[in-house]
Amino acid sequence: MTSEIKTYIEQIAGKSRQLHHLLVAERERSASMLQEVSRLNEVVEQQEQMILSLQNELTIVQTKLTEQREQVQEIPSSTKEFEIDGLVKEIDFCIQQLKIANG
């Protein structure tokens, strides 16, 4: 009976050492995963900062585009006004010339 007990004790000790090795390996794996999660969280934070920066830049560019579109829309109307003023002056000049010629 003593040899059977020793055999059981040795089996239990062997299983205990095996479980201890598995526990150590699992702790190392867990620590490695935690480091990877930390690294990935930093990458996500950097990406979020980049997204915010790009959104701010997009807003600035859209504002500038809107301003430039408004300026482009204003230029033709003022140019047309100058053209109309020029034509009115030319017509007035022609009328004056006709009055002088017929006068």
Side-chain angles (χ1 to χ4, degrees):
M1 207 187 232
T2 310
S3 76
E4 287 180 25
I5 293 175
K6 284 184 180 181
T7 304
Y8 285 129
I9 291 174
E10 287 176 13
Q11 288 177 349
I12 291 171
K15 288 182 180 182
S16 175
R17 282 189 297 275
Q18 184 182 14
L19 288 173
H20 176 72
H21 289 299
L22 289 174
L23 177 64
V24 169
E26 199 59 32
R27 283 181 179 164
E28 289 174 0
R29 187 172 153 260
S30 175
S32 174
M33 288 181 152
L34 286 174
Q35 287 177 344
E36 181 66 9
V37 166
S38 178
R39 185 188 72 78
L40 291 173
N41 281 335
E42 289 177 11
V43 168
V44 166
E45 185 177 327
Q46 289 173 352
Q47 294 295 323
E48 287 174 345
Q49 289 175 357
M50 181 182 288
I51 287 171
L52 286 175
S53 174
L54 289 172
Q55 285 175 338
N56 289 337
E57 188 175 335
L58 176 63
T59 302
I60 291 169
V61 169
Q62 285 176 332
T63 302
K64 287 181 180 179
L65 178 62
T66 302
E67 290 173 358
Q68 289 179 355
R69 282 182 177 164
E70 289 172 358
Q71 288 176 358
V72 167
Q73 289 174 356
E74 291 173 5
I75 290 173
S77 67
S78 63
T79 303
K80 288 179 183 178
E81 289 176 13
F82 286 125
E83 289 175 2
I84 291 171
D85 287 344
L87 289 173
V88 169
K89 288 179 183 179
E90 192 174 329
I91 291 170
D92 283 342
F93 176 76
C94 290
I95 291 172
Q96 292 299 325
Q97 292 296 322
L98 286 171
K99 284 181 181 178
I100 292 171
N102 289 330

